[in-house]
Amino acid sequence: MTTNKRTFIAALGALALTAVAAAPGVATARQAAPAPAAARNVVLVHGAFADGSGWRAVYDNLTRRGYRVTIVQNPLTSLADDVAATRRALDQQDGPTILVGHSWGGTVITEAGVHPKVTGLVYVSALSPDAGETTADQYKGFTTPPEFVLKTTPDGFGYIDPAKFQAGFAADATDAEAAFLRDSQVPIAMASFGVKLQNAAWKTRPSWAVIATDDKAFDQRMLHSMATKIGAEVTEVKASHAVFMTQSAVVADVIDGAAKHAAHKHKSN
């Protein structure tokens, strides 16, 4: 073989190696995939009979840790309206986001959590219907504790009986805290509980669940059944339905853990 031919073949080999190294999706032994980014954004979604102010202690805890925290103010006029409010908040995030819902807020994050910026879901004593199910469907076969008493306005909005509010919603809060929650409660359009979901974000996003063991808004069996259904990592804490306020440090710890590990967990339908 002539020197010129050997030089030509060597050059072709070098070009081939260069092309393989540069080809999309092909990694050499020295290349490593970039580590998934941890979420630094948290969006908090309140439930029925409440507003975003109850998240204050969780907000303070997480912002001290360096998170960017956004609190959604649900209008509670319909599922569609609450989902739209949550999506607007998600649109404003600058990267991976943990979406958190309390109570009815769990239904909202289940529908809205398919947003591309959401990397993980945290259910705080929260509802988690499947696509095609309603919120009301979650109660079938379970018995709500007698302490939780609802009343309905003539135009179809539900609220907690003020005389039963502390026992049913915030038994572990101080009298002053419970009175504030009672007197600032926001009624919800009861028709919202009968709307079928189009999406179930927990099918494609890793989920965590905080279950309050003294919650009087839900049958404990119901909370555990929902957490099992969605494959959530469960944290139990002794608290009332107002766990997002009365056990804010525990809730914040779970959110922090979700933010750090959601990118490493993968789910598929």
Side-chain angles (χ1 to χ4, degrees):
M1 183 180 294
T2 66
T3 300
N4 287 341
K5 182 174 285 188
R6 285 197 297 269
T7 302
F8 178 69
I9 291 172
L12 282 179
L15 285 172
L17 288 173
T18 302
V20 169
V26 178
T28 68
R30 295 183 180 181
Q31 292 175 322
R40 299 308 302 167
N41 301 303
V42 176
V43 172
L44 304 173
V45 183
H46 67 79
F49 324 116
D51 66 12
S53 64
W55 288 116
R56 180 59 190 267
V58 172
Y59 172 91
D60 288 343
N61 187 310
L62 292 174
T63 54
R64 283 196 299 269
R65 302 189 198 203
Y67 289 98
R68 177 193 182 201
V69 184
T70 302
I71 299 173
V72 176
Q73 293 288 5
N74 284 326
L76 300 180
T77 47
S78 70
L79 174 59
D81 290 346
D82 290 355
V83 169
T86 300
R87 285 176 176 157
R88 281 193 293 271
L90 291 170
D91 287 342
Q92 299 304 311
Q93 306 309 305
D94 61 5
T97 302
I98 299 299
L99 185 58
V100 184
H102 171 251
S103 194
W104 160 255
T107 293
V108 178
I109 71 170
T110 297
E111 184 69 65
V114 294
H115 192 286
K117 291 181 182 177
V118 175
T119 57
L121 304 164
V122 178
Y123 290 83
V124 182
S125 268
L127 295 149
S128 54
D130 199 347
E133 291 184 340
T134 69
T135 299
D137 287 337
Q138 309 315 295
Y139 292 83
K140 293 177 180 177
F142 301 105
T143 303
T144 301
E147 292 88 344
F148 197 75
V149 180
L150 295 183
K151 291 189 171 184
T152 307
T153 63
D155 58 347
F157 281 75
Y159 62 98
I160 302 172
D161 182 348
K164 303 287 186 180
F165 187 93
Q166 186 165 8
F169 194 97
D172 59 340
T174 66
D175 290 346
E177 289 170 337
F180 179 80
L181 288 171
R182 177 197 66 211
D183 296 338
S184 64
Q185 67 169 306
V186 184
I188 184 171
M190 295 300 287
S192 304
F193 293 98
V195 178
K196 291 183 179 181
L197 274 68
Q198 301 299 311
N199 299 289
W202 48 261
K203 289 185 174 180
T204 55
R205 270 70 170 176
S207 300
W208 287 257
V210 178
I211 294 179
T213 59
D214 293 333
D215 195 327
K216 300 302 181 183
F218 297 122
D219 187 322
Q220 283 291 308
R221 296 173 303 145
M222 176 180 167
L223 288 170
H224 283 280
S225 175
M226 291 187 294
T228 298
K229 175 182 70 177
I230 69 176
E233 183 176 316
V234 175
T235 297
E236 293 188 82
V237 59
K238 184 176 176 58
S240 70
H241 192 57
V243 57
F244 63 103
M245 184 182 74
T246 62
Q247 290 289 341
S248 60
V250 173
V251 173
D253 282 346
V254 172
I255 296 170
D256 178 57
K260 290 175 177 175
H261 301 295
H264 301 279
K265 293 178 179 285
H266 301 283
K267 295 184 76 173
S268 59
N269 291 338

